[in-house]
Amino acid sequence: MTLPASQYSVLDAERIERVDGSTFRCYAHRVKFFTVEVCPVLLVRVDEEADGCTIRLLSATLDGSPIVKEQNKKFRASMVNRVRWAPDPSSPSSRLIMSHTTLQ
């Protein structure tokens, strides 16, 4: 968490695409059930802070079959995940990672 978001390694380039220095597009696993195909797509921004980062969901859409894409008009989502680190009182050389997530 000490690197700027622009230096993050994209480990799975097929599922995570760097849009700019702090924005990423994430593709969930594509599911097919008979003729219906769906792939959730998330656009997130990583804001760097002194003691961690905040990950914000900018958009959530469904890709896939036409009937699935129509559902994009019927929902919206929001998410904020605050990830922080702090010294571990029981081990001075270690850090604790804390995460607080808000979903709507």
Side-chain angles (χ1 to χ4, degrees), residues 42 44-45 53-58 60 76-84 98-104:
L42 307 176
V44 299
R45 185 180 71 230
C53 66
T54 298
I55 304 164
R56 298 179 192 283
L57 177 65
L58 302 177
R76 66 182 174 92
S78 72
M79 181 274 308
V80 176
N81 183 11
R82 289 181 173 81
V83 181
R84 303 285 180 262
M98 299 154 287
S99 176
H100 177 80
T101 304
T102 304
L103 297 170
Q104 292 184 347

Side-chain angles (χ1 to χ4, degrees), residues 11-79:
L11 297 176
D12 188 345
E14 290 183 24
R15 296 203 188 275
I16 301 174
E17 167 188 323
R18 185 185 310 275
V19 176
D20 62 33
S22 63
T23 308
F24 301 85
R25 185 169 289 112
C26 308
Y27 300 88
H29 184 72
R30 188 172 292 272
V31 176
K32 188 169 185 175
F33 186 73
F34 295 109
T35 62
V36 178
E37 190 171 0
V38 62
C39 177
V41 180
L42 307 176
L43 186 66
V44 299
R45 185 180 71 230
V46 179
D47 296 319
E48 304 158 33
E49 297 165 10
D51 62 344
C53 66
T54 298
I55 304 164
R56 298 179 192 283
L57 177 65
L58 302 177
S59 70
T61 57
L62 298 173
D63 194 17
S65 303
I67 193 167
V68 169
K69 291 180 181 180
E70 280 294 313
Q71 304 313 305
N72 287 317
K73 300 174 187 174
K74 300 177 182 176
F75 81 95
R76 66 182 174 92
S78 72
M79 181 274 308

